[in-house]
């Protein structure tokens, strides 16, 4: 097989960190991968210059991953069709609210033999009271196989080459191994499992739990309370998979995509940080996102709304009180200090 062309679709905080890894592996394994890795960049001006021009000249995404050098062969491209040209492997890594629009642009313009992996955490609401996996959105529009990579991966720490792990969920193990070669480095270790839906669902749901952890942090509670949030959140994640994705395996929750991601995100993630500020200041979450994240996007708030859309339609809100409370607090329907009532009266204690 000729060296495969890899295209990274997205260039935010995680998109840029992952481009560093993929660019490194492309240089290290020329027999497997084309040395040039194209990265689609949503063009914007930074200090009067185009972000793509900055990345291609200075080899740094100064807006979303400051202080980290990207490999020279990672090429920033503002036109998604140009970025995707002749690509064999697509890595989708952008805030989940933008994925459908990008896939619609790519539709009919990619190789029919291409494969994809999503690193995106979130869902899409489906008419009629359901939700769709992001992998399903990509698969249904582009008609190519789509795996998922999720894990305890705070982008800045990964970019600094601190040891961590990730999980690839892929029903087709041969494809899983091919994707592992794209990502694995000395400091970024990958385990492949076949339970791809659970891998992806864990990645999305943990952002809602992290938002709850931020609320209790902001209310002034300590580590014991946060441990309770993590435990009850994990129980709801497991129940969510049992109810909506039968066939999910409990052991997947012990992979990096499960408990490990939940822990890291409830301590070091952006969702936690902004939710803490919300509980402390009472400022709207959207305002805090703008003030604190400089263009990076929170995924916990929309994800809580997406799952609530389904839980409400199926009259199951009470079975998932933590998920439900987070959504109602984000909406302003519930005061943030009611988070504690939700934990205190959780069905796990009845
Ligand atoms: N950052 C992390 O630590 C991390 C780690 C693991 C997974 N993830 C997940 O990866 C996904 C991408 O996260 P990220 O951190 O790379 O992004 P981010 O939060 O840094 O988001 C900013 C990106 O969104 C782009 N953007 C803004 N408006 C847009 C539009 N209208 N259309 C398309 N793109 C637009 C920006 O150009 C920028 O590239 C998310 O689902 C996130 O949950 C993030
Ligand atoms: O910063 P967050 O809250 O979006 O979380 C980052 C990653 O998902 C952690 O794996």
């Amino acid at each position: 097989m000729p060296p495969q062309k890899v295209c990274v679709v997205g260039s935010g905080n995680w998109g840029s960190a992952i481009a560093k890894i993929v660019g490194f592996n492309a240089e290290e394994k020329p027999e497997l991968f084309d040395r040039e890795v194209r990265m689609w960049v949503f063009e914007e001006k930074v200090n009067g210059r185009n972000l793509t021009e900055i990345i291609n000249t200075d080899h740094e995404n100064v807006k979303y991953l400051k202080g980290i050098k990207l490999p020279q062969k990672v090429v920033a491209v503002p036109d998604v069709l140009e970025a995707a040209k002749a690509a064999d492997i697509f890595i989708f890594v952008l805030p989940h609210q933008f994925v459908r629009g990008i896939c619609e642009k790519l539709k009919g313009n990619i190789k029919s033999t291409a494969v994809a992996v999503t690193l995106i955490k979130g869902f899409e609401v489906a008419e009629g009271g359901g939700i769709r996996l992001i992998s399903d959105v990509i698969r249904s529009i582009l008609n190519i196989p789509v795996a998922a990579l999720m894990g305890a991966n705070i982008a800045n720490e990964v970019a600094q080459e601190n040891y961590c792990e990730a999980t690839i969920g892929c029903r087709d193990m041969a494809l899983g191994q091919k994707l592992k070669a794209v990502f694995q480095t000395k400091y970024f270790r990958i385990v492949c499992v076949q339970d791809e839906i659970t891998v992806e669902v864990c990645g999305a749901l943990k952002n809602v739990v992290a938002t709850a952890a931020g609320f209790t942090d902001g209310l002034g509670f300590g580590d014991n309370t946060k441990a309770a949030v993590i435990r009850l959140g994990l129980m709801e994640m497991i129940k969510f998979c049992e109810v909506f994705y039968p066939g999910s395996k409990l052991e997947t929750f012990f992979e990096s995509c499960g408990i490990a991601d939940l822990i890291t995100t409830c301590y070091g993630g952006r969702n936690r940080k902004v939710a803490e500020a919300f509980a402390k200041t009472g400022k709207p979450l959207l305002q805090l996102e703008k003030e604190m994240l400089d263009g990076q996007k929170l995924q916990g708030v929309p994800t809580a709304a997406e799952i609530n859309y389904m839980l409400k339609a199926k009259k199951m809100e009470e079975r998932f009180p933590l998920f439900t409370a987070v959504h109602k607090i984000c909406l302003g329907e519930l005061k943030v200090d009611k988070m504690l009532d939700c934990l205190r009266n959780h069905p796990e204690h009845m």
Side-chain angles (χ1 to χ4, degrees):
M1 193 184 287
Q4 303 273 285
K5 273 185 182 298
V6 184
C7 170
V8 180
V9 183
S11 54
N13 188 228
W14 187 218
S16 302
I18 217 69
K20 176 184 166 180
I21 287 179
V22 175
F24 172 82
N25 276 339
E27 274 175 27
E28 289 288 296
K29 305 174 192 172
E31 70 290 357
L32 293 182
F33 306 114
D34 192 298
R35 280 203 160 92
E36 181 182 278
V37 171
R38 292 189 181 185
M39 173 171 77
W40 172 67
V41 174
F42 182 74
E43 190 68 287
E44 60 186 290
K45 293 273 186 205
V46 179
N47 299 328
R49 292 165 74 194
N50 282 340
L51 184 55
T52 49
E53 191 254 316
I54 297 175
I55 294 172
N56 291 334
T57 312
D58 305 343
H59 307 290
E60 182 181 335
N61 186 339
V62 292
K63 173 141 188 200
Y64 295 105
L65 191 63
K66 208 170 171 43
I68 300 292
K69 282 289 169 206
L70 299 176
Q72 305 231 342
K73 289 279 192 180
V74 169
V75 178
V77 182
D79 175 353
V80 74
L81 294 186
E82 192 54 35
K85 209 174 200 170
D88 301 292
I89 301 175
F90 284 95
I91 299 170
F92 284 93
V93 54
L94 62 166
H96 73 282
Q97 47 273 48
F98 306 127
V99 71
R100 177 171 284 277
I102 288 301
C103 287
E104 294 289 1
K105 285 190 182 148
L106 291 174
K107 187 178 179 170
N109 292 298
I110 63 167
K111 278 183 167 179
S112 61
T113 51
V115 296
V117 54
T118 171
L119 279 54
I120 299 171
K121 294 174 175 174
F123 299 102
E124 186 183 82
V125 295
E127 320 61 46
I131 53 172
R132 241 178 247 120
L133 300 176
I134 296 301
S135 59
D136 283 336
V137 174
I138 300 168
R139 198 178 289 117
S140 66
I141 300 173
L142 298 181
N143 197 25
I144 55 175
V146 186
L149 181 149
M150 306 280 149
N153 304 141
I154 291 186
N156 295 316
E157 294 183 22
V158 180
Q160 284 159 21
E161 306 191 3
N162 295 348
Y163 177 86
C164 68
E165 299 176 314
T167 315
I168 289 180
C170 187
R171 226 165 270 142
D172 173 354
M173 279 314 248
L175 174 56
Q177 290 303 321
K178 175 172 168 170
L179 293 170
K180 182 171 177 168
V182 177
F183 295 104
Q184 179 150 279
T185 66
K186 278 188 179 158
Y187 61 91
F188 193 61
R189 307 304 290 172
I190 310 283
V191 173
C192 291
V193 301
Q194 286 182 295
D195 188 10
E196 60 184 31
I197 290 180
T198 311
V199 170
E200 186 174 348
V201 174
C202 278
L205 294 180
K206 67 87 191 169
N207 283 331
V208 182
V209 185
T211 307
F215 290 154
T216 58
D217 281 350
L219 291 168
F221 293 93
D223 286 343
N224 293 342
T225 310
K226 187 137 75 183
V229 169
I230 291 173
R231 191 187 83 83
L232 294 171
L234 179 64
M235 298 310 277
E236 291 195 17
M237 287 167 60
I238 293 171
K239 184 180 285 181
F240 193 89
C241 285
E242 277 171 7
V243 173
F244 298 112
Y245 302 98
S248 283
K249 291 194 167 68
L250 187 61
E251 63 240 39
T252 306
F253 290 88
F254 298 98
E255 298 293 343
S256 183
C257 62
I259 184 70
D261 197 6
L262 194 52
I263 293 170
T264 203
T265 200
C266 285
Y267 280 89
R270 301 167 295 185
N271 286 285
R272 189 220 65 83
K273 187 166 115 180
V274 175
E276 177 186 44
F278 171 80
K280 281 185 171 161
T281 66
K283 287 185 187 177
L285 281 156
L286 268 180
Q287 183 185 334
L288 289 167
E289 179 184 61
K290 281 205 182 79
E291 286 175 6
M292 297 174 72
L293 298 185
D294 189 27
Q296 294 183 37
K297 301 284 178 199
L298 286 182
Q299 306 287 271
V301 178
T303 304
E306 288 143 14
I307 59 179
N308 186 263
Y309 171 75
M310 178 164 80
L311 294 177
K312 202 172 198 166
K314 299 193 184 298
K315 304 198 183 337
M316 285 196 194
E317 283 177 293
E318 282 167 17
R319 292 180 67 183
F320 298 90
L322 186 146
F323 293 167
T324 302
V326 168
H327 174 60
K328 290 194 170 160
I329 292 168
C330 293
L331 271 189
E333 286 180 5
L334 201 63
K335 289 230 162 17
V336 68
D337 56 9
K338 294 291 176 203
M339 196 68 234
L340 258 292
D341 290 343
C342 152
L343 303 180
R344 206 171 273 125
N345 302 320
H346 200 279
E348 283 292 315
H349 306 137
M350 301 303 156

